[in-house]
């Protein structure tokens, strides 16, 4: 495992079960102080990466009273993790095993997991296969049932052939794709989003994931019902659970939220005004709500 110093975190490079190199950011904070609490592991969305969680991780790891160690993962084929030569490995089962490998490498017997979108789906499989690893779970705009309009929208904007020429163009494209859903974002927030999504090489923004991941969505047949993960969701029954939902999301319906709450009566629900899929977790009162949920553990 390789470590390099970065601003606020250590860069770790670990090996997946099949040998693929995975990139992890390790926000240790005050190591002695964080030992009293379980670490937090953050899992990003379909084509996103560890940078999505940077601001939240800094808030949690460097809190003056109750700091947490936070690890954020670039899933295989995303961010600075290696691209997989076998594109069929971009699936939930393999990515779940990668998380198990992460826990094994860092000798983590149990953690709080925060999963955005695809990361939350991985958490469903983790709950079903390794419930012992889950101290608590926070699902960001995802549940066991996905709405077709939201998935179609993701498919369409990921597979458009418009490539930004520079940072300002990248921000403009993000506003065009997501502005109607993210009315609460400031100019600075849009800049931050561009910095999280794109890798800037010589000033030029480049999509920071293997294109094969987005292309998988083109093969989906939306004329047939989407598979759900309700059986796996039942595995959260003994785990403290929180779900965050963007007010303007098209991926997670209020009906699904109600079904989740009925099956998991203790589930904490946070609705985020002025955001869509998926909410930026460092904005507004979301960090305070997350800290309140964690303190109850």
């Amino acid at each position: 495992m390789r470590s390099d110093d970065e601003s606020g975190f250590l860069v770790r490079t670990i090996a997946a079960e099949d040998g693929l190199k995975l990139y992890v950011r390790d926000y240790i904070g005050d190591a002695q102080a964080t030992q009293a609490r379980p670490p937090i592991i953050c899992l990003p969305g379909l084509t996103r990466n560890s940078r999505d969680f940077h601001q939240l991780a800094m808030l949690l790891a460097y809190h003056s009273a109750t700091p947490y160690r936070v690890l954020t993962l670039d899933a295989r084929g995303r961010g600075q993790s290696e691209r997989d030569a076998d594109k069929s490995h971009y699936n939930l089962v393999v990515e779940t095993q990668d998380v198990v490998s992460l826990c094994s490498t860092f000798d983590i017997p149990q953690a709080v997991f925060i999963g955005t979108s695809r990361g939350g789906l991985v958490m469903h499989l983790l709950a079903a296969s390794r419930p012992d690893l889950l101290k608590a779970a926070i699902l960001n705009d995802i549940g066991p049932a996905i709405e077709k309009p939201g998935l179609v929208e993701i498919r369409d904007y990921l597979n458009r052939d418009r490539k930004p020429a520079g940072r300002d163009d990248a921000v403009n494209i993000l506003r065009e794709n997501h502005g109607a859903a993210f009315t609460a974002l400031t100019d600075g927030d849009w800049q931050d989003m561009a910095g999280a999504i794109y890798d800037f090489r010589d000033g030029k923004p480049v999509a920071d994931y293997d294109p094969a991941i987005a292309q998988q969505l083109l093969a989906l047949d939306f004329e047939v019902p989407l598979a759900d993960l309700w059986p796996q969701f039942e595995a959260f029954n003994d785990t403290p659970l929180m779900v965050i939902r963007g007010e303007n999301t098209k991926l997670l319906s209020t009906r699904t939220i109600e079904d989740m709450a009925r099956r998991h009566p203790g589930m904490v629900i946070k609705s985020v005004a002025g955001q869509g899929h998926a909410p930026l977790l460092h904005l507004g009162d979301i960090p305070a709500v997350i800290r309140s949920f964690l303190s109850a553990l």
Side-chain angles (χ1 to χ4, degrees):
M1 180 170 63
R2 182 179 62 82
S3 302
D4 294 314
D5 286 313
E6 294 283 349
S7 178
F9 59 88
L10 295 177
V11 170
R12 313 284 200 182
T13 303
I14 67 170
E17 189 176 51
D18 60 3
L20 196 83
K21 297 296 186 291
L22 302 175
Y23 171 93
V24 182
R25 289 183 172 192
D26 189 354
Y27 299 79
I28 296 177
D30 183 335
Q32 185 172 359
T34 58
Q35 284 180 354
R37 284 165 287 280
I40 298 171
I41 297 175
C42 299
L43 308 177
L46 178 66
T47 59
R48 305 292 279 266
N49 59 73
S50 59
R51 296 192 298 274
D52 273 340
F53 297 103
H54 176 69
Q55 291 96 326
L56 177 67
M58 293 292 288
L59 291 172
L60 294 173
Y62 293 96
H63 190 270
S64 59
T66 52
Y68 287 82
R69 181 187 185 186
V70 182
L71 298 104
T72 66
L73 172 69
D74 281 359
R76 62 176 57 218
R78 290 84 160 178
Q80 296 188 52
S81 288
E82 283 187 334
R83 276 41 175 168
D84 200 320
D86 186 342
K87 308 309 179 185
S88 70
H89 289 171
Y90 296 134
N91 66 70
L92 293 177
V93 173
V94 172
E95 290 165 26
T96 300
Q97 181 55 49
D98 289 345
V99 176
V100 174
S101 295
L102 183 156
C103 292
S104 177
T105 300
F106 288 99
D107 194 24
I108 296 174
Q110 199 171 53
V112 175
F113 285 85
I114 301 177
T116 294
S117 195
R118 171 83 159 208
L121 298 180
V122 169
M123 285 167 55
H124 279 71
L125 271 64
L126 195 65
S129 61
R130 289 295 307 272
D132 56 297
L133 290 175
L134 274 69
K135 175 68 174 178
I138 300 175
L139 300 172
N140 183 22
D141 213 64
I142 195 67
I146 295 175
E147 300 302 310
K148 286 184 183 179
L151 196 56
V152 168
E153 186 173 87
I154 292 171
R155 177 200 65 186
D156 290 347
Y157 71 68
L158 287 180
N159 286 285
R160 288 182 189 134
D161 195 30
R162 181 174 173 190
K163 296 177 175 61
R167 180 177 286 271
D168 289 344
D169 195 26
V171 170
N172 290 336
I173 290 173
L174 290 177
R175 284 182 185 270
E176 291 171 12
N177 288 336
H178 308 294
F182 286 87
T183 57
L185 268 57
T186 66
D187 290 343
D189 295 331
W190 288 109
Q191 291 282 347
D192 287 345
M193 184 187 288
I197 291 177
Y198 292 99
D199 180 21
F200 288 85
R201 303 172 189 169
D202 298 324
K204 291 197 66 175
V206 180
D208 208 9
Y209 58 87
D210 189 331
I213 296 169
Q215 290 166 4
Q216 286 180 341
L217 294 179
L218 295 175
L220 292 179
D221 183 358
F222 288 98
E223 297 303 316
V224 301
L226 295 175
D228 65 55
L229 294 176
W230 284 114
Q232 290 80 6
F233 179 79
E234 299 293 346
F236 286 117
N237 280 348
D238 296 324
T239 302
L241 180 64
M242 175 179 175
V243 60
I244 299 168
R245 179 180 184 271
E247 175 187 45
N248 301 320
T249 183
K250 295 181 181 178
L251 201 75
L252 179 62
S253 70
T254 55
R255 180 184 66 254
T256 296
I257 290 282
E258 291 166 358
D259 287 345
M260 292 166 70
R262 185 170 59 253
R263 299 181 191 218
H264 196 303
M267 186 176 80
V268 176
I269 303 171
K270 168 61 178 174
S271 180
V272 183
Q275 293 208 55
H277 181 78
L280 281 64
L281 297 179
H282 60 281
L283 297 184
D285 65 346
I286 303 176
V289 174
I290 290 175
R291 294 196 63 83
S292 177
F293 173 74
L294 295 175
S295 68
L297 301 178

